[in-house]
Amino acid sequence: MQPESSLKRRDLLTYAAFGSAVLATGNKAIAAPADSTKDTPPRPKYEMKKSINLWAFPYPDKMTLRQCMQLAKDAGFDGIELNYDLESDLSPKSGTKEFTAIRQMADEIGIAISGVCSFLFWPYPLTSNDPAERTRGMELASKMTQAAHDLGTENLLVVPGAVHMPWRPDHDPTPNDVCDRRAREAIGKLLPQAEKLNVYLNIENIFFNGFLMSPMEMVDFVDSFSSKHVQVHFDTGNIMEYQFPEHWIPILGDRIKNIHFKEYTKKGSDHSLEAFRPLLDGTTDWPAVLAALDKTGYDGYLTFEYFHPYAHFPEALIYQTADSLDRMLGIKQA
């Protein structure tokens, strides 16, 4: 008998694929399966739009912003989500003139800017126990609101606060009630500018930050402002460790203004950004998610968010994602 240690990966995969069938037929020849695609009903078609976040591109190390936009357009995306930070083309170093030029560049390429998001809500949380961090966070959030307007997008992703940030060992945890109070105060102060500029403050569900842990809490938070300019940026991947996006969507309903389609696998044990996967390479029930979104009437952007551009042939990830979205939306059928 062949020892286990000598089994090759190919052998194991072969046993997994065919072992039960061989046993069932008593080692007789296995007939080729009938062509099942002939009787496969067409998948549903959805009118939602395809978008991709800039973090999926090797920007700015290997590609310029124009190159990223052009690649997204060439791959078939309707929009691209841009990220505001402290150093890049989208930062406090730029102003209305520079952002308007980026908007014009996108228009020339023929791709929309689907929204603006930022990692800056983590070093400068709006609910921090450090007043200096809170002040800087509010300053940056205000600048992001203006930038979104200048870039020609209605959508600004906002992380309203955090009880805890496991990835920041220096963060002093904020008590839940204090976090909630400060978050409501912060959004309330940002709201007049957002309403004036017609920018939506879309509150993102994070889960890892210990705040707004259920769809009911999110609904209560958003509705408390009684303004159409406070809505939800729903992230499918952020809740996948313990919950399911298709359960949140009916409860959030038409409050969902923008979406991150972020893939996650429940089979792993890594609870960092490494747990997020290329689209379809995870355990998300995408047919259920899409059906739930369609039932709410959502027809906006589905933005793929991923933090690890491919080191080699980075365009492969972009085209692969566009193809996956085409199949999920029923544009391409089996």
Side-chain angles (χ1 to χ4, degrees):
M1 186 176 187
Q2 189 179 21
E4 285 187 7
S5 59
S6 67
L7 290 175
K8 303 295 185 183
R9 173 177 167 81
R10 182 177 61 185
D11 298 327
L12 293 171
L13 291 174
T14 301
Y15 297 155
F18 302 112
S20 60
V22 170
L23 290 174
T25 59
N27 290 328
K28 294 179 181 179
I30 302 172
D35 183 0
S36 61
T37 61
K38 293 181 180 179
D39 300 320
T40 302
R43 292 193 291 264
K45 290 187 177 181
Y46 301 103
E47 298 300 322
M48 303 163 208
K49 294 175 283 190
K50 297 184 299 177
S51 173
I52 189 167
N53 183 279
L54 189 60
W55 282 316
F57 299 78
Y59 167 84
D61 297 335
K62 297 181 180 179
M63 295 180 68
T64 65
L65 185 56
R66 176 180 284 276
Q67 289 173 326
C68 295
M69 287 183 170
Q70 187 64 60
L71 175 55
K73 172 65 176 179
D74 293 344
F77 285 95
D78 303 298
I80 185 169
E81 184 178 58
L82 302 182
N83 306 315
Y84 191 96
D85 58 37
L86 295 179
E87 298 294 336
S88 72
D89 296 295
L90 288 96
S91 73
K93 296 180 179 180
S94 298
T96 296
K97 178 182 178 181
E98 290 78 13
F99 295 136
T100 301
I102 292 173
R103 175 181 182 175
Q104 292 171 345
M105 180 170 63
D107 290 342
E108 292 169 7
I109 292 170
I111 192 166
I113 297 174
S114 60
V116 173
C117 71
S118 178
F119 266 142
L120 294 178
F121 289 107
W122 301 124
Y124 305 105
L126 303 182
T127 56
S128 174
N129 291 334
D130 183 344
E133 285 189 356
R134 293 203 306 273
T135 299
R136 181 57 170 157
M138 291 294 292
E139 291 173 353
L140 290 168
S142 176
K143 290 179 181 293
M144 292 178 209
T145 306
Q146 183 67 52
H149 171 266
D150 296 339
L151 289 163
T153 181
E154 294 180 333
N155 294 310
L156 173 63
L157 183 154
V158 177
V159 179
V163 170
H164 182 44
M165 289 181 276
W167 52 90
R168 265 194 66 183
D170 66 322
H171 179 251
D172 181 24
T174 303
N176 296 68
D177 57 337
V178 176
C179 179
D180 184 72
R181 173 173 55 79
R182 288 175 180 167
R184 292 173 189 268
E185 290 173 354
I187 300 303
K189 290 178 180 177
L190 293 170
L191 187 53
Q193 179 193 18
E195 291 177 331
K196 179 180 178 181
L197 297 176
N198 195 32
V199 170
Y200 288 78
L201 305 176
N202 298 325
I203 309 303
E204 187 183 28
N205 56 290
I206 301 294
F207 199 81
F208 302 99
N209 63 342
F211 184 50
L212 302 179
M213 302 285 282
S214 75
M216 289 74 74
E217 290 175 274
M218 178 67 81
V219 166
D220 176 75
F221 185 85
V222 168
D223 288 357
S224 70
F225 298 97
S226 301
S227 172
K228 71 174 186 178
H229 286 89
V230 180
Q231 299 292 340
V232 175
H233 186 116
F234 182 58
D235 189 303
T236 63
N238 285 350
I239 58 172
M240 271 290 290
E241 185 169 353
Y242 299 110
Q243 300 188 39
F244 301 86
E246 62 268 28
H247 296 170
W248 279 57
I249 292 167
I251 299 171
L252 298 179
D254 61 6
R255 298 172 185 83
I256 299 174
K257 186 68 171 58
N258 213 355
I259 292 177
H260 275 160
F261 262 27
K262 194 154 75 213
E263 184 63 275
Y264 184 91
T265 176
K266 290 180 181 289
K267 296 180 180 179
S269 58
D270 187 342
H271 306 308
S272 71
L273 292 180
E274 303 297 327
F276 299 113
R277 311 296 304 146
L279 205 57
L280 300 182
D281 183 26
T283 56
T284 309
D285 187 347
W286 290 114
V289 169
L290 286 159
L293 284 171
D294 185 59
K295 194 170 182 179
T296 70
Y298 184 80
D299 61 0
Y301 290 103
L302 307 177
T303 299
F304 173 64
E305 185 186 34
Y306 192 61
F307 310 102
H308 312 294
Y310 289 176
H312 307 290
F313 313 109
E315 72 280 4
L317 174 64
I318 312 307
Y319 278 94
Q320 172 187 327
T321 302
D323 181 77
S324 295
L325 283 169
D326 281 344
R327 297 177 191 281
M328 294 164 73
L329 292 173
I331 298 170
K332 292 182 178 178
Q333 299 279 339

